[in-house]
Amino acid sequence: MKMKIKKLENAAPSIVEAFNRWENDARLIPLVRRNRNETELNKRERVTITELEKRLQHQNIYLIYLNDKLVGEINYSVDPKHLYKKEQGTAWLGITIGESEARGKGIGYHAISRLENEIKRHGLTRVELGVFAFNKQAMKLYKKLGYKEIGFIENFTFWKGEMWRDIRMEKYINH
């Protein structure tokens, strides 16, 4: 298993196609985006080249390859307004392992570890993320990587007929 992470510089049709596949996968939607109700949960969205280029203006996006096949993306933005703890110099982390054959193989662990090194290289010392309370597998991964719970937002996302918390976690990384 050969994993590679490459910074996304330009949105290309093949990349947009992968993002659309992942962002409209019924198994991933509850895990990767906030849904306020069942209608939002069932809504499908199209990513365009223009929208992906817009994301690149405020996010650092890295593509995750497994044996030269694009299987996911990991990203961070600096000091976004939705931080739970408003601490200057914080990276907000997001990750999607989009292809099912790449899940459960430790790719998320290695991708986050590599991204933390990139974040450190850019002089940031704190990482924050949000994970929905029902996503036990992701919480286990983040705890294994050293992330600690710092709070939660009640009734944040809808899944399986009820509203769930968004648990906020943080990790300080040293230079």
Side-chain angles (χ1 to χ4, degrees):
M1 174 177 89
K2 188 179 129 207
M3 189 189 93
K4 179 173 70 175
I5 295 181
K6 182 180 175 215
K7 186 168 174 68
L8 178 60
E9 302 289 346
N10 300 303
S14 61
I15 306 299
V16 169
E17 181 183 315
F19 273 63
N20 275 308
R21 188 170 56 253
W22 304 334
E23 292 187 19
N24 290 292
D25 183 330
R27 293 164 299 183
L28 293 176
I29 289 171
L31 304 173
V32 298
R33 77 171 189 228
R34 178 184 189 187
N35 300 288
R36 291 178 183 91
N37 53 47
E38 194 157 358
T39 302
E40 283 188 14
L41 182 66
N42 294 318
K43 185 178 173 192
R44 300 300 182 254
E45 299 176 355
R46 289 293 302 151
V47 177
T48 64
I49 285 181
T50 304
E51 194 214 303
L52 192 52
E53 287 172 345
K54 206 166 147 191
R55 287 185 195 180
L56 287 169
Q57 293 172 14
H58 61 86
Q59 279 185 333
N60 295 284
I61 301 173
Y62 296 81
L63 304 175
I64 304 168
Y65 291 88
L66 180 61
N67 300 324
D68 295 322
K69 179 184 178 189
L70 178 60
V71 296
E73 66 91 16
I74 187 165
N75 65 74
Y76 76 92
S77 53
V78 180
D79 297 334
K81 63 180 175 20
H82 59 267
L83 288 174
Y84 187 82
K85 193 193 268 185
K86 310 285 188 213
E87 192 171 310
Q88 195 74 22
T90 295
W92 175 267
L93 186 139
I95 183 170
T96 300
I97 304 299
E99 302 300 330
S100 59
E101 72 268 16
R103 293 185 209 122
K105 293 184 169 31
I107 291 168
Y109 182 91
H110 292 292
I112 292 170
S113 296
R114 289 189 192 173
L115 190 66
E116 287 174 356
N117 288 331
E118 191 66 21
I119 289 167
K120 262 194 277 191
R121 212 170 60 74
H122 284 96
L124 303 170
T125 57
R126 182 176 175 272
V127 181
E128 185 175 316
L129 56 84
V131 59
F132 303 141
F134 59 81
N135 194 348
K136 303 294 184 199
Q137 190 174 353
M139 275 194 275
K140 184 177 171 187
L141 167 65
Y142 299 137
K143 287 178 181 177
K144 184 176 177 182
L145 282 159
Y147 287 80
K148 308 267 187 257
E149 290 183 32
I150 56 170
F152 59 86
I153 301 171
E154 201 66 64
N155 299 316
F156 189 78
T157 194
F158 180 87
W159 188 63
K160 287 194 172 181
E162 62 182 289
M163 295 301 291
W164 295 80
R165 288 179 171 174
D166 188 39
I167 298 171
R168 297 300 175 92
M169 303 179 86
E170 73 176 353
K171 179 178 179 180
Y172 286 90
I173 49 180
N174 302 320
H175 288 275

